[in-house]
Amino acid sequence: MTLGFLTTPLLGLTDTAVVGHLGKPEALAGLAIGAILFDLIYGSLSFLRTSTTGLVAQAFGRGDRHEQQAVFWRALLSALALGLFMLALSPLILAFAPDLMTSDPAVAEVTRQYFGIRVLTSPATFANFAILGFVLGRGQGVLGLTLQIILNGTNIVLAILFGLILGWGVAGVAWATAAAEASAVAIGLLILSRQFSAADRPSRAEIFDTAKLKQLFQLNADILIRSLILNGAFALLTRVGSGFGAVTLAANAVLMNIFMLSAFFLDGLAGAAEQLAGRAVGAQYRPSFNQALKLTGLWSFAMAAIVGLFFITFGEPIIHLLTTSEEVRQEAYTYLAWAAVTGLTGALAFQMDGVFIGATWSREMRNMMLVSFAGYCASLALLVPPFGNHGLWLSLNLFLLMRGFFLAAMVPRKARQSFVSAQ
């Protein structure tokens, strides 16, 4: 899954390169804003993937094939409903959001063009979340990787074909993504239909079971709140950083790429934690849960250490590639160490997110995110005035640490509650 998640930034680089070859700054700026807008809205709604993974993993652990299929159909129907809702909401988003994000009419128009095409396949986008969540919940990592390669690989090829070879520009990049989403859904559903057994097919009454739907919606709501707060923390980082001037703001944006790359590596291990913890809770087998904690913790910190060492060693050449401004480069070098250690300070948080999602302890995950965000705001107020941008990066690292430690502190009590019938 780490390999699967790493195909996403490759897609972003391809889209940027395709539009960059058009030689029109407003096209590149419009693409960037459109992609940010899409990721902000749809990234926050990716709870469908994580909630499906947790519920399927628990059903898998119980050996309940019937419920596995039922969870999938509930998630898929929720995805289609959410996709239709986004289609209905899109005129309002297109009317106001681009102008809020840029004052340049030409850039805003490109953003509308890009977002207006991509939003057409909203049902397919959310359906892909449900399909991937089901696959990961069953521990089918190779199939998950295959689906991600199909989705992002098709997107990359079509972006080059539509955007460059056929000369459709930004519209071509958007149509490439729309076609890739639709193709991935069709292939994913075909693969899953061959895995499903008729004997395990749930009835309509079971799919629409009130208690089960309530559990799914509550889980989704908690994860949504958690995701919105997390995005708010990153938005606050940018807002506070803007007070240090354009050069520092640009340097921070470059360094955030290092943090995001570290996150892609750790996301794969968080996915493993979701599967293993969910299976153990479903099977009511505490030794398996304890082993999952040890294994995912060990690998998370080992991966974080390797990634951190890599960025400490090669961070300056990477910064050199990411920006041509010498001013921005020098500023980024100053704060490179803070960005390089975000993998280590965030390793426990990523692991715990996976454990809590797999075990469906969503309420506690939501609450600890709120507590951590409060601590983050306090650290910004205390550390930024005396230490400037160093205080800003220190606050981000403290936020990551708080998330990890607060969740880890709750694991013993939650585990005792979840495994009470097995004790």
Side-chain angles (χ1 to χ4, degrees), residues 108-126:
E109 186 55 36
V110 173
T111 299
R112 286 190 175 90
Q113 181 186 39
Y114 175 82
F115 190 89
I117 294 170
R118 281 199 64 177
V119 77
L120 295 175
T121 52
S122 293
T125 300
F126 293 123

Side-chain angles (χ1 to χ4, degrees), residues 169-407:
V170 172
V173 168
W175 280 117
T177 302
E181 292 279 7
S183 300
V185 166
I187 294 170
L189 289 176
L190 178 62
I191 292 172
L192 292 189
S193 68
R194 293 182 175 181
Q195 292 186 356
F196 288 159
S197 168
D200 299 322
R201 186 177 299 139
S203 66
R204 184 179 299 178
E206 288 172 314
I207 293 173
F208 292 99
D209 180 270
T210 304
K212 297 291 186 180
L213 285 171
K214 183 178 179 181
Q215 180 189 25
L216 177 63
F217 294 150
Q218 183 60 58
L219 187 58
N220 287 338
D222 290 336
I223 297 173
L224 172 61
I225 293 169
R226 169 255 182 203
S227 298
L228 290 173
I229 296 169
L230 185 60
N231 286 331
F234 295 140
L236 189 56
L237 181 85
T238 301
R239 179 64 186 86
V240 173
S242 66
F244 300 127
V247 173
T248 301
L249 180 62
N252 285 348
V254 169
L255 292 173
M256 280 301 288
N257 283 283
I258 290 177
F259 168 65
M260 296 308 295
L261 284 170
S262 299
F264 278 114
F265 280 99
L266 294 172
D267 264 339
L269 288 159
E274 291 172 21
Q275 298 165 32
L276 298 174
R279 276 195 223 177
V281 170
Q284 283 290 283
Y285 190 56
R286 181 70 181 270
S288 179
F289 180 81
N290 293 340
Q291 184 71 353
L293 285 179
K294 292 175 184 177
L295 281 174
T296 55
L298 173 65
W299 280 98
S300 291
F301 279 101
M303 180 69 76
I306 292 170
V307 172
L309 184 61
F310 174 82
F311 285 126
I312 286 289
T313 306
F314 300 104
E316 292 194 7
I318 291 172
I319 290 169
H320 190 86
L321 288 172
L322 290 173
T323 177
T324 57
S325 170
E326 193 58 38
E327 263 189 310
V328 174
R329 285 174 179 170
Q330 292 302 320
E331 188 76 359
Y333 297 157
T334 303
Y335 306 103
L336 172 60
W338 290 115
V341 300
T342 52
L344 275 173
T345 56
L348 185 59
F350 278 91
Q351 182 209 7
M352 287 295 109
D353 275 353
V355 170
F356 275 66
I357 287 170
T360 60
W361 299 336
S362 60
R363 182 180 299 176
E364 291 75 16
M365 184 173 66
R366 177 201 66 193
N367 292 343
M368 290 305 99
M369 177 63 81
L370 286 166
V371 173
S372 300
F373 184 74
Y376 173 58
C377 292
S379 67
L380 288 173
L382 293 171
L383 298 174
V384 170
F387 301 113
N389 202 47
H390 285 290
L392 180 60
W393 278 97
L394 175 56
S395 296
L396 175 63
N397 280 280
L398 288 174
F399 174 59
L400 296 173
L401 285 170
M402 284 187 285
R403 284 181 55 210
F405 282 117
F406 289 160
L407 288 173

Side-chain angles (χ1 to χ4, degrees), residues 1-8 49 53 128-153 184 187-188 191-192 195 275:
M1 284 321 301
T2 298
L3 294 173
F5 289 136
L6 283 173
T7 61
T8 301
R49 202 283 296 166
T53 298
N128 277 318
F129 289 162
I131 291 169
L132 184 60
F134 176 80
V135 167
L136 294 186
R138 287 172 52 85
Q140 296 175 292
V142 174
L143 178 55
L145 169 61
T146 302
L147 292 174
Q148 287 295 97
I149 289 175
I150 290 171
L151 173 62
N152 292 326
I187 294 170
I191 292 172
L192 292 189
Q195 292 186 356
Q275 298 165 32

